[in-house]
Amino acid sequence: MSLLDALHRAGVLNTLDHAFAQSLRRLGRRDTSTDLFGADTPDMVLAAAALASQAVSRGHAAFDPSLPSWLPDESVDWPSARAWRDALKGSRWITEPQADAIAAGDAPLVWENGLLYLRRYREYERRLAAGLRRIAQARLAGDAVDSLAPLFAALFPQARDDDRQARAAALALLQPLLLVTGGPGTGKTTTITRLLLLLIAQARQADLPPPRIALAAPTGRAAERMAESLRAASEKLRGIDGVDIALCDALPDTASTLHRLLGTIPGSPRFRHDPANPLPYDVIVVDEASMVDLPLMCKLVEAVADGARLILLGDRDQLPSIEAGDVLAAITDAAGDGGELPQALAQRLQPLIGDVPASSPSAASNALSGHRVQLKRGYRQSEALDLAPLADALRVGDGDRTDQLLRSNALRGVHYHEGVSDPLAGPRRETLLSVWRELLLIDDPAIALQRASALRVLTALRDGAQGASVLNARIEEALAGAHRDPYFHGRLLLVTENSYRHGLFNGDIGVCQRDAQGHTVAWFAGGSDGVRGFHPAALPAHTGAFAMTVHKAQGSEFDAVWLLLPRQDARTLSRELLYTAVTRARSELHVCASEPVLRAALARHAARVSGLAWRLRG
């Protein structure tokens, strides 16, 4: 049996992957113009083509023949990496361009740096790397910083004590590309608010118009949270001596999704803003950058105008994007941790932040050197929640430390329900349901939406007994009965697709309520009154939201989180999933899991095959 057929029979390949390989087989046989092209395409080439397609569907940018076991769940007798390379060399379906060259359009596959790409995804990587270098190397107008020292000192009084927030703000004054990374609660929003205030002041002192600033995030909910956080941080600035209120008034107070920022074109993968029609902004700030996939990040970067600033915020330890690529991780790997800066840059920043360790001269060849700041630890929590030690253990995959912390009951607000696979049964059932029953009694949609973030069950799975779909159905039946109205008063909704016509986006949370006339309305945040109502039948695709997958919860936060892991280990489990889930909690965390499944998840790293970091390092 051929390798391609064996992979297909084992369920490793989906229908699309197999059809792609078969189309290459048929095309090879049909072309009889030469003896070479008329021969059958070798089976290993066809299998590699199918696996390159499969790699993209699993979130990788390419297929790595040295790591084929990253793809399937089944055991396969894989060829050696050398055998793969020997088979792929010289195939008519594969081109081998120079690193910065456009891949030939007459071959669907690209072999480069030991990876096999679908041509489109190789081009996304190449174009993204080129776009980031273009932005990073641009010259900025009016980048003097000495005159900003008094305002800078008022905003960052600890600037000369290795304050990473101050370093990020200082770099933004001189660098057109900036990555600000760190876990929840490390002050990314505070940093960005003060950074933008400085950019506005910098433009004023250079007699330039105020910069046009855009705030964006991958999902509607993340964009909403970004705008809320920035408005709150802006209000705090008004009480700081030495801060001109007019500068605060010039700060942006709204944010959009990336798709809306770029301008979707119905029925087209393209956007209205692209290299030929760049975005009309001087500063673009993107939050939750870990959620941005390779194609979208490529299109965003290419749409940034020459001389404009791009600031990416995110946590590289969270789950990567659902679609192909782990872009933020690749960019941060190429940029380093920001502990040292190029000597010339460090000297220019000295008036603001004092002496900074300078990197070696060899680091200057890296186009992204000096463009990243990693903020120090300070995970999101309240006085009732001591989350940092557990989040650190999960982040590095330390199973022993995680087990010890959970069993010790020493962390405030953290509760371990070992072996519990169904929190909706037994004594915990009423603990959960009582919180959601409050929604059934609230008639004000704005208050109901505020209370909607009080509790969430998070799961690794969408389907199955412990999946979000089944859990939602059980919760809804417990709250409103087996013969319930599908949109009963107090039901939480989760939008699962973008609808620009409605202004609703994947990840938005809504609540159903009956008005005074008995009509059902689905309410979402937004509008002049703070809420917007829709008839349920008019909504885009949606589902229940009492339970959610961890992926859907990214960009959100909840007062209490109940994390439910499956009874058996699953490929979807990883240390990144656990870290992302627990850092959604603001004041209370419950972990329902068995020790074996928890340890198996921590041993799995949600790594993605990508050549982006290699490209960016040059």
Side-chain angles (χ1 to χ4, degrees):
M1 181 186 302
S2 71
L3 178 59
L4 177 64
D5 290 339
L7 292 172
H8 187 51
R9 291 191 180 186
V12 174
L13 306 176
N14 61 36
T15 302
L16 181 62
D17 307 327
H18 190 250
F20 173 54
Q22 294 288 27
S23 68
L24 297 185
R25 186 200 300 272
R26 289 192 299 271
L27 288 170
R29 289 174 174 172
R30 187 176 303 159
D31 187 346
T32 57
S33 58
T34 70
D35 290 339
L36 175 63
F37 288 173
D40 282 347
T41 301
D43 175 61
M44 284 185 65
V45 173
L46 296 175
L51 289 168
S53 174
Q54 172 68 189
V56 170
S57 67
R58 290 186 179 259
H60 303 288
F63 168 56
D64 186 348
S66 68
L67 297 169
S69 59
W70 279 23
L71 291 181
D73 297 302
E74 292 76 10
S75 176
V76 176
D77 185 14
W78 294 108
S80 68
R82 173 171 290 185
W84 280 114
R85 287 194 296 269
D86 291 345
L88 298 176
K89 288 284 187 178
S91 170
R92 66 166 299 192
W93 306 122
I94 302 171
T95 185
E96 299 182 52
Q98 296 296 315
D100 293 330
I102 299 173
D106 57 356
L109 299 163
V110 176
W111 176 257
E112 187 175 21
N113 196 37
L115 302 179
L116 184 66
Y117 293 85
L118 296 182
R119 180 185 180 277
R120 177 186 300 177
Y121 284 85
R122 185 270 182 180
E123 287 303 296
Y124 281 139
E125 262 195 14
R126 182 193 62 79
R127 289 161 48 194
L128 174 55
L132 288 170
R133 287 194 296 268
R134 171 183 64 86
I135 296 171
Q137 295 166 358
R139 296 178 62 87
L140 295 173
D143 61 355
V145 299
D146 293 27
S147 59
L148 293 172
L151 176 59
F152 196 95
L155 295 172
F156 299 100
Q158 307 299 319
R160 296 177 180 271
D161 297 327
D162 193 26
D163 182 345
R164 290 299 184 95
Q165 295 184 16
R167 184 181 298 189
L171 281 172
L173 296 172
L174 297 177
Q175 304 277 58
L177 175 67
L178 178 65
L179 287 79
V180 181
T181 55
T186 49
K188 292 191 292 292
T189 301
T190 298
T191 302
I192 289 303
T193 308
R194 300 183 182 210
L195 178 161
L196 293 176
L197 192 85
L198 285 164
L199 291 177
I200 295 168
Q202 184 183 44
R204 175 191 288 184
Q205 293 194 7
D207 292 326
L208 296 172
R212 298 163 296 175
I213 301 170
L215 306 178
T219 67
R221 178 57 186 149
E224 180 186 326
R225 280 191 53 244
M226 182 188 191
E228 290 171 354
S229 299
L230 196 136
R231 287 193 294 266
S234 175
E235 285 302 313
K236 292 180 181 179
L237 290 178
R238 298 173 184 272
I240 298 178
D241 290 338
V243 174
D244 187 342
I245 300 301
L247 296 176
C248 299
D249 292 339
L251 287 167
D253 59 2
T254 60
S256 73
T257 65
L258 285 172
H259 286 82
R260 170 167 281 184
L261 176 73
L262 291 168
T264 55
I265 300 175
S268 172
R270 299 180 181 275
F271 292 101
R272 291 188 176 87
H273 292 289
D274 57 16
N277 180 32
L279 289 162
Y281 297 103
D282 304 300
V283 183
I284 300 164
V285 184
V286 179
D287 198 10
E288 298 289 353
S290 65
M291 300 171 64
V292 185
D293 59 51
L294 174 61
L296 183 57
M297 186 67 83
C298 174
K299 294 169 185 177
L300 167 68
V301 166
E302 289 188 326
V304 175
D306 289 340
R309 286 177 169 89
L310 175 64
I311 301 171
L312 302 177
L313 313 177
D315 183 355
R316 66 150 296 151
D317 297 310
Q318 286 191 27
L319 281 167
S321 60
I322 295 177
E323 304 300 331
D326 191 355
V327 176
L328 182 65
I331 299 174
T332 55
D333 285 347
D337 64 5
E340 298 178 341
L341 298 178
Q343 187 168 7
L345 183 60
Q347 290 175 346
R348 295 187 66 191
L349 293 178
Q350 205 276 338
L352 299 181
I353 60 178
D355 294 331
V356 179
S359 57
S360 63
S362 62
S365 61
N366 184 341
L368 298 191
S369 178
H371 291 268
R372 177 196 176 196
V373 175
Q374 171 73 19
L375 300 183
K376 295 181 178 179
R377 192 186 75 183
Y379 300 107
R380 178 193 299 123
Q381 60 187 65
S382 67
E383 291 297 321
L385 180 62
D386 182 16
L387 190 63
L390 178 61
D392 275 339
L394 296 173
R395 181 177 57 82
V396 299
D398 190 336
D400 291 339
R401 178 66 173 155
T402 297
D403 188 63
Q404 185 270 325
L405 287 170
L406 289 174
R407 292 179 185 278
S408 68
N409 292 318
L411 301 180
R412 295 188 313 275
V414 177
H415 309 275
Y416 184 32
H417 308 282
E418 185 178 6
V420 171
S421 59
D422 186 2
L424 294 174
R428 302 166 191 84
R429 175 184 174 88
E430 191 55 33
T431 301
L432 294 165
L433 294 178
S434 62
V435 177
W436 292 317
R437 286 199 178 101
E438 293 181 16
L439 293 173
L440 308 185
L441 304 176
I442 298 174
D443 294 324
D444 186 322
I447 295 176
L449 286 171
Q450 290 176 358
R451 292 295 298 153
S453 63
L455 170 67
R456 199 68 86 242
V457 174
L458 300 183
T459 176
L461 308 175
R462 183 178 59 186
D463 302 312
Q466 294 171 297
S469 297
V470 171
L471 290 171
N472 270 312
R474 291 179 60 199
I475 293 167
E476 292 172 6
E477 181 175 349
L479 293 174
H483 304 291
R484 61 192 177 278
D485 181 337
Y487 298 97
F488 62 87
H489 188 99
R491 185 192 181 202
L492 294 182
L493 301 178
L494 171 69
V495 174
T496 57
E497 70 176 13
N498 294 332
S499 173
Y500 290 89
R501 182 167 64 90
H502 295 86
L504 295 173
F505 304 96
N506 188 359
D508 283 356
I509 299 292
V511 62
C512 297
Q513 291 195 339
R514 291 187 180 276
D515 61 19
Q517 289 73 41
H519 302 131
T520 300
V521 180
W523 294 94
F524 292 82
S528 57
D529 297 327
V531 292
R532 297 172 297 150
F534 299 87
H535 190 284
L539 293 175
H542 57 278
T543 186
F546 296 102
M548 299 168 62
T549 63
V550 178
H551 272 287
K552 288 293 186 183
Q554 257 184 295
S556 299
E557 57 183 35
F558 312 100
D559 294 339
V561 165
W562 284 69
L563 173 61
L564 174 62
L565 298 189
R567 292 184 178 90
Q568 304 294 328
D569 184 28
R571 174 177 283 273
T572 54
L573 295 177
S574 66
R575 67 184 66 168
E576 288 81 5
L577 182 138
L578 299 181
Y579 171 84
T580 302
V582 304
T583 53
R584 301 308 93 203
R586 284 189 290 227
S587 56
E588 189 176 320
L589 171 68
H590 296 260
V591 179
C592 302
S594 68
E595 181 184 347
V597 170
L598 194 61
R599 285 184 177 272
L602 287 170
R604 186 177 291 113
H605 180 39
R608 297 281 179 85
V609 174
S610 167
L612 182 58
W614 165 75
R615 295 179 196 281
L616 290 171
R617 292 191 189 104

